[in-house]
Amino acid sequence: MAIKQRNIVVCILLQFVTCGIYGIYWVIMLAKDAVSVKDPADNAILEIVLMLFLPFLGFFLAEKKLAEGCAAKGIAHEDRSIIYLILGLVGLTIVNYCMMQNDLNIGTSEIISTLVYKNGKVMGKPRDEKEA
């Protein structure tokens, strides 16, 4: 599960400059990243298709899986699926893109720090931990 941090402003600009082509790529990556938190083996096809054609429902489902995955891993994350649903219904899908990318950017550091410890063994050091 390698979630890439993306600059939201650059993503929005690329979406406009490429006349929406980058937006399709961005949706695919958002869906895969959000769903992979709960189940890395899930290919997120349902969420991708829904995010492209019924964005309010796609973002709702992806956020549900992201929240469930974070809860299962003990990562603090507020379930905003209803907000995604409402914003999608009123046509503010670009706000959904930004909110989900922000959640993934914030959660990436927390997810990485939870992967540092596995089966009670230290697999590596968190980035903010200083050498003694």
Side-chain angles (χ1 to χ4, degrees), residues 13-66:
L13 290 174
L14 282 172
Q15 185 171 359
F16 287 112
V17 168
T18 63
C19 298
I21 295 171
Y22 186 80
I24 295 169
Y25 169 77
W26 193 14
V27 161
I28 293 168
M29 293 297 103
L30 284 173
K32 286 183 177 182
D33 288 348
V35 170
S36 72
V37 173
K38 180 179 179 186
D39 181 10
D42 190 346
N43 58 12
I45 294 296
L46 175 65
E47 287 78 9
I48 291 169
V49 170
L50 288 174
M51 281 177 155
L52 291 172
F53 298 108
L54 296 171
F56 60 92
L57 189 56
F59 278 99
F60 175 82
L61 290 175
E63 172 64 17
K64 279 289 187 191
K65 288 189 178 180
L66 176 62

Side-chain angles (χ1 to χ4, degrees), residues 47-99:
E47 287 78 9
I48 291 169
V49 170
L50 288 174
M51 281 177 155
L52 291 172
F53 298 108
L54 296 171
F56 60 92
L57 189 56
F59 278 99
F60 175 82
L61 290 175
E63 172 64 17
K64 279 289 187 191
K65 288 189 178 180
L66 176 62
E68 290 170 6
C70 287
K73 290 180 174 37
I75 298 169
H77 177 76
E78 181 182 344
D79 184 0
R80 296 186 182 109
S81 54
I82 299 299
I83 295 172
Y84 285 106
L85 185 66
I86 293 168
L87 287 171
L89 286 171
V90 297
L92 294 173
T93 307
I94 190 70
V95 178
N96 285 348
Y97 285 42
C98 299
M99 285 176 55

